[in-house]
Amino acid sequence: MPTVYRKTDKGQQEIATRAHRLAPRLRSALILVDGRRSDAELGTLILPPADDVLAALLADGFIEALPGNAGPGTPGAAAGAPAAAPAVLTLDEVRRRALRWLSDALGPYGDPLNLRIEKARSVDELRTALDLADRFVQQQLGAARAQAFRQHLGLPPG
């Protein structure tokens, strides 16, 4: 069953004032949320992975699912729980997901982190780079976004 989202008061405030300084990609997605489009429709308008973008907006309280329409497997299905990451990811997939998420969320401010992640040649080096990225996201974007980052990568909660 498709999920329809609407902006919360916090989301409306962000559109009007830019008070929360959302990353451009998240702001663009927030603008598209209108209380009429389903997650499937939004998915055609938002760059992939649209489910992750909607889950981040949901986790940060910018959008909410309209009552009675959250189906199983959707970001709003379990009281605001984000979509689950695949059970097993390869190191290259974790690396790609981290690079994309950081670029989307931080823009050019994430470039030093992305360079460090790209240069990691072992599991330990990648783990160290991801830990640094996680701490940076938590400091700059807050605990909810850091949790979304970890979940996107299939990492345990921090």
Side-chain angles (χ1 to χ4, degrees), residues 45-114:
L45 301 172
I46 300 170
L47 291 174
D51 287 343
D52 293 343
V53 172
L54 292 172
L57 290 171
L58 188 65
D60 287 345
F62 292 103
I63 63 173
E64 63 187 358
L66 288 175
N69 72 0
T74 61
V88 177
L89 298 174
T90 66
L91 285 178
D92 285 337
E93 182 64 21
V94 170
R95 184 187 321 268
R96 279 192 300 272
R97 283 174 162 243
L99 294 171
R100 183 173 193 145
W101 196 99
L102 292 167
S103 292
D104 290 345
L106 300 171
Y109 296 109
D111 288 350
L113 295 168
N114 281 342

Side-chain angles (χ1 to χ4, degrees), residues 13-135:
Q13 178 189 21
E14 174 59 20
I15 295 300
T17 66
R18 295 180 187 245
H20 301 282
R21 299 185 182 272
L22 274 179
R25 182 163 189 237
L26 292 172
R27 182 173 167 75
S28 296
L30 180 61
I31 290 169
L32 294 170
V33 173
D34 62 2
R36 293 187 303 261
R37 290 184 180 119
S38 70
D39 54 347
E41 291 172 288
L42 290 168
T44 64
L45 301 172
I46 300 170
L47 291 174
D51 287 343
D52 293 343
V53 172
L54 292 172
L57 290 171
L58 188 65
D60 287 345
F62 292 103
I63 63 173
E64 63 187 358
L66 288 175
N69 72 0
T74 61
V88 177
L89 298 174
T90 66
L91 285 178
D92 285 337
E93 182 64 21
V94 170
R95 184 187 321 268
R96 279 192 300 272
R97 283 174 162 243
L99 294 171
R100 183 173 193 145
W101 196 99
L102 292 167
S103 292
D104 290 345
L106 300 171
Y109 296 109
D111 288 350
L113 295 168
N114 281 342
L115 287 172
R116 188 160 181 172
I117 291 168
E118 287 174 348
K119 289 181 180 179
R121 295 293 167 229
S122 69
V123 173
D124 289 335
E125 288 177 4
L126 183 59
R127 183 177 297 123
T128 300
L130 292 175
D131 287 344
L132 178 65
D134 179 50
R135 286 191 307 273

Side-chain angles (χ1 to χ4, degrees), residues 2-21:
T3 301
V4 177
Y5 296 101
R6 66 177 171 206
K7 292 176 193 79
T8 61
D9 290 339
K10 182 179 179 182
Q12 295 286 352
Q13 178 189 21
E14 174 59 20
I15 295 300
T17 66
R18 295 180 187 245
H20 301 282
R21 299 185 182 272

